């Protein structure tokens, strides 16, 4: 859908805005999928039996698990970005 030469200027602007909005929604969906994934992983790892309140050990485990998951995701993303940038040069 990058071929806009037959569109009027306003159609091109609308198409570009639509593409931007779609990209934003895709990013939101990816973020929500990641949150769902680490919620599942960390819940299974840290919560023995759900109760009305989290105990200190469970809360600490959940926080550590999520932080590790985020750190790992950022490290992988940054490494991938570096590899792509090196490949582009």
């Amino acid at each position: 859908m990058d071929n806009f030469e037959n569109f009027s200027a306003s159609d091109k602007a609308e198409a570009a805005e639509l593409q931007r909005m779609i990209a934003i929604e895709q990013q939101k969906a990816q973020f929500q999928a990641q949150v769902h994934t680490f919620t599942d992983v960390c819940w299974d790892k840290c919560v023995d039996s759900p109760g009305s309140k989290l105990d200190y050990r469970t809360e600490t485990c959940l926080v550590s698990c999520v932080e590790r998951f985020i750190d790992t995701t950022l490290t992988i993303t940054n490494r991938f970005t570096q590899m792509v940038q090196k490949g582009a040069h």
Side-chain angles (χ1 to χ4, degrees), residues 78-89:
N78 289 336
R79 180 66 181 133
F80 181 72
T81 300
Q82 289 172 355
M83 290 170 55
V84 169
Q85 288 173 345
K86 284 181 182 178
H89 292 143

Side-chain angles (χ1 to χ4, degrees), residues 36-50:
H36 181 73
T37 299
F38 67 69
T39 299
D40 282 348
V41 168
C42 294
W43 181 269
D44 291 344
K45 179 181 179 351
C46 298
V47 179
D48 296 325
S49 59

Side-chain angles (χ1 to χ4, degrees), residues 4 6 8-9 14 16 22 26 28 30 32-33 35 38 40 43 47 49 56 70 74 78 88:
F4 296 131
N6 295 328
S8 70
E14 286 180 29
I22 289 170
Q26 287 173 330
K28 287 180 185 177
Q30 284 178 319
Q32 289 174 339
V35 168
F38 67 69
D40 282 348
W43 181 269
V47 179
S49 59
Y56 179 77
I70 291 170
L74 288 173
N78 289 336

Side-chain angles (χ1 to χ4, degrees), residues 5-75:
E5 59 228 17
N6 295 328
F7 289 6
S8 70
S10 65
D11 288 341
K12 288 179 184 178
E14 286 180 29
E17 178 63 15
L18 181 59
Q19 284 184 327
R20 186 186 71 76
M21 290 172 53
I22 289 170
I24 289 170
E25 290 304 315
Q26 287 173 330
Q27 288 174 340
K28 287 180 185 177
Q30 284 178 319
F31 177 76
Q32 289 174 339
Q34 281 189 315
V35 168
H36 181 73
T37 299
F38 67 69
T39 299
D40 282 348
V41 168
C42 294
W43 181 269
D44 291 344
K45 179 181 179 351
C46 298
V47 179
D48 296 325
S49 59
S52 60
K53 192 173 183 183
L54 295 177
D55 61 24
Y56 179 77
R57 183 197 67 76
T58 303
E59 186 175 344
T60 302
C61 180
L62 287 169
V63 169
S64 295
C65 180
V66 170
E67 287 176 350
R68 279 195 316 272
F69 193 91
I70 291 170
D71 288 344
T72 302
T73 301
L74 288 173
T75 300

